Amino acid sequence: MAETVRTEEFSMDYIKFGEGSKNLVIIPGLSVKPVTPMGMMIESAYSVFKEDYTVYLFDRRNKAPDNYTDENMAEDTYQALVELGINKAHFIGASQGGAIILKLAIMHPDMPESLSVCSSSPYVNDMSKEVLGTWLDFANKRDAVGLATSMIDSIFSKNTLDGTREVLIKNFSDLSEEEFVQFINMSANFYGYDVREELHKIKCPTFVVGCEGDRVFGAEASRQIYEGISKGNDKCELYIYDDSYGHAVYDEAPDFKDRLYNFMKKY
């Protein structure tokens, strides 16, 4: 069941599970709907972590402002954690969530004990500009079916979509005006995201995971993250899946969570 953390400036919903002595924070990617209502499914997917970690998964702040940047997202996440009394944590971030935890680690280097950055990028490259632009066009036109269809087809691999595409589109195409506005505000100012010149500041252990079948950022973006961090960090590792999976390799690959767990338990 989702809980809410409140600061003086905003509120943010999260779910919490596990009883381990270490903190693990999961920041999901850009979505048309909040992720926390799927708490039971997420807890099941990340069950391997429950014994060793207390796991927190956060949505973005409620009622995101129209000038919401990657820096704002990272700072909000940091402030929410501090409000909950969390000063140290391991982080998993997927897609835009990966961008957020990279930025958080640059801005607040004492908080992360490790990062796992999945299907992400150090900047909004040409591929992702085109994809994000298409999504924003549908959102601005309030075309829920078009937006859901474009996102599903971009994020998931053909193997996953065979037999499930229509169901997935239906599940994500019933959008309220509030959900459209939230999506636009989480997307429109993300074009300015670029940490390429700051990656060397990240000194905590970092695991970068990409996929050759990624049609949002591309596998090269994961390699760029790894190269930028590993120049000054010998605890940075890279793993690239083949094109059997897509951008959502974090949901598609059956060994994905085990790979992250095996990396994190070393630290």
Side-chain angles (χ1 to χ4, degrees):
M1 182 176 177
E3 302 179 58
T4 303
V5 56
R6 291 177 171 83
T7 71
E8 292 183 0
E9 295 183 355
F10 65 89
S11 66
M12 185 180 290
D13 297 334
Y14 69 98
I15 58 172
K16 176 183 176 182
F17 57 89
E19 299 179 351
S21 59
K22 303 175 183 178
N23 295 314
L24 169 59
V25 175
I26 302 174
I27 308 298
L30 178 66
S31 177
V32 293
K33 286 186 173 291
V35 177
T36 50
M38 297 184 287
M40 291 183 64
M41 185 185 305
I42 294 166
E43 180 175 351
S44 176
Y46 285 86
S47 59
V48 67
F49 295 95
K50 291 171 64 174
E51 183 175 345
D52 296 326
Y53 300 88
T54 298
V55 184
Y56 299 81
L57 180 139
F58 288 86
D59 274 318
R60 306 294 186 267
R61 71 184 286 174
N62 295 313
K63 298 181 179 179
D66 59 9
N67 59 345
Y68 204 39
T69 67
D70 59 286
E71 184 172 336
N72 299 145
M73 296 178 199
E75 185 62 25
D76 285 351
T77 302
Y78 175 80
Q79 294 297 337
L81 290 169
V82 170
E83 187 68 25
L84 291 172
I86 299 170
N87 297 309
K88 288 283 189 181
H90 298 265
F91 287 84
I92 295 173
S95 194
Q96 189 187 67
I100 291 170
I101 67 171
L102 287 172
K103 193 70 174 182
L104 187 150
I106 291 164
M107 295 166 61
H108 301 285
D110 292 337
M111 178 174 277
E113 296 191 82
S114 76
L115 303 178
S116 293
V117 184
C118 315
S119 297
S120 196
S121 177
Y123 72 112
V124 180
N125 57 31
D126 289 343
M127 179 186 293
S128 53
K129 281 180 183 177
E130 182 175 350
V131 172
L132 188 59
T134 299
W135 295 350
L136 276 168
D137 284 345
F138 283 123
N140 284 318
K141 294 173 184 175
R142 301 302 192 264
D143 184 348
V145 174
L147 176 57
T149 302
S150 181
M151 292 189 75
I152 294 299
D153 286 345
S154 299
I155 290 170
F156 292 99
S157 68
K158 184 178 184 300
N159 292 334
T160 294
L161 292 178
D162 283 346
T164 64
R165 181 174 181 267
E166 297 306 318
V167 173
L168 287 169
I169 291 171
K170 183 178 180 180
N171 288 343
F172 289 95
S173 59
D174 179 20
L175 300 180
S176 66
E177 176 63 17
E178 184 178 355
E179 287 170 333
F180 273 120
V181 172
Q182 180 80 347
F183 179 84
I184 291 168
N185 289 349
M186 292 189 300
S187 309
N189 285 281
F190 190 61
Y191 285 100
Y193 163 70
D194 189 342
V195 295
R196 285 175 290 181
E197 300 303 318
E198 299 178 284
L199 290 174
H200 68 278
K201 298 177 182 178
I202 297 175
K203 303 301 182 183
C204 65
T206 303
F207 187 29
V208 184
V209 182
C211 182
E212 294 291 355
D214 187 340
R215 298 191 302 278
V216 176
F217 286 120
E220 185 59 28
S222 293
R223 295 188 180 96
Q224 290 171 344
I225 295 172
Y226 169 75
E227 289 166 3
I229 296 175
S230 63
K231 288 177 181 177
N233 184 343
D234 61 2
K235 294 181 179 178
C236 187
E237 300 180 20
L238 173 70
Y239 185 83
I240 302 291
Y241 284 89
D242 64 24
D243 61 3
S244 300
Y245 307 107
H247 179 74
V249 62
Y250 42 84
D251 288 331
E252 295 180 316
D255 63 344
F256 176 81
K257 278 81 173 180
D258 288 333
R259 286 188 184 277
L260 267 58
Y261 174 75
N262 289 334
F263 171 80
M264 287 168 53
K265 71 180 183 180
K266 294 186 289 187
Y267 304 103

